[in-house]
Amino acid sequence: VWPVNWLQGLEAAMDTAHVGHLHRGWHQPEATADAGAGGQASLFAIQPRFEIEETAYGLRSAGVRKGEDGTSYVRISEFLPPFTAMTPGSLDGAKGEASLYFFVPVDDRSHLQFFGFFSQHEQLGSFFMRDSCTDPDNYVVVQGSCDDNWGQDREAMARGHFSGFVDHVLLEDAVVQASIGAIADRSRDFLTHTDLGVQRCRQLLLAALDRFEAGEKVDGAMPGVTRSVLARGALIPSDGDWRDIE
């Protein structure tokens, strides 16, 4: 159970710009091996430019990071309203894998977050987000409060870990969300171009509420969802179109 409103969890999943910053203390082997070559890991550090495509079931949010060598690193997230998001797995998506999140409201101030990781092509094997999980049924426990920095490990930070939350990568997300309050005051938001996915996600949900309140039928069966709906990561030429990624 995460001690925040479900929408804060959903918005974090749609904000793929935060991954290269907040989670940089977690070095995956493929990223570390590539970092010295100026490859995918260096592309990951670039601030993305976002493009949104609305679909029959929700929307796709593409974060495009253009490198100096004519290569762009693209991460495409999927939003299946109202409670489901899918984000890319590995840096290049070669295994057809993705992370799947379900945000289930408990009340206005807490939600259940179900997380899964899958591959379309092969067995997953070892995976750092699963390997670091001590309890698969309760993989993130937010402890403490702002008075003790939610249990932040300052010694780990002194050794080089970025956030000081070393139990699980998703604990970083949970603490950031908790730190802004159980129900975020969005009147104080200053959204930028990197928040485009969050903006459009909110607009889509508000439009659905308007239709419902006007007496229109809102289809919750996610029409248009097929096996081809998959969060994807890929390296493409900088003049390429991310919509052509398969």
Side-chain angles (χ1 to χ4, degrees), residues 134-148:
T134 56
D135 183 355
D137 294 323
N138 194 19
Y139 55 89
V140 168
V141 179
V142 179
Q143 299 179 339
S145 67
C146 60
D147 294 329
D148 64 357

Side-chain angles (χ1 to χ4, degrees), residues 82-104:
F83 302 130
T84 305
M86 195 186 309
T87 61
S90 65
L91 292 176
D92 61 5
K95 300 176 183 177
E97 76 275 32
S99 298
L100 192 61
Y101 301 86
F102 301 95
F103 306 93
V104 182

Side-chain angles (χ1 to χ4, degrees), residues 13-16 19 28 44 61-63 65 73-78 85-94 96-101 115-118 127-129 230-234:
M14 295 307 298
D15 168 33
T16 62
V19 176
Q28 298 183 58
F44 206 96
S61 173
R65 294 168 167 86
Y73 172 41
V74 182
R75 287 175 61 85
I76 304 171
S77 297
E78 300 278 357
M86 195 186 309
T87 61
S90 65
L91 292 176
D92 61 5
E97 76 275 32
S99 298
L100 192 61
Y101 301 86
F115 164 75
F117 191 72
F118 67 93
F127 175 53
F128 83 104
M129 289 180 71
L230 180 69
R232 303 173 190 276

Side-chain angles (χ1 to χ4, degrees), residues 167-185:
D167 290 343
H168 197 279
V169 63
L170 292 180
L171 181 59
E172 296 176 328
D173 295 283
V175 169
V176 168
Q177 292 170 39
S179 71
I180 61 177
I183 301 177
D185 181 1

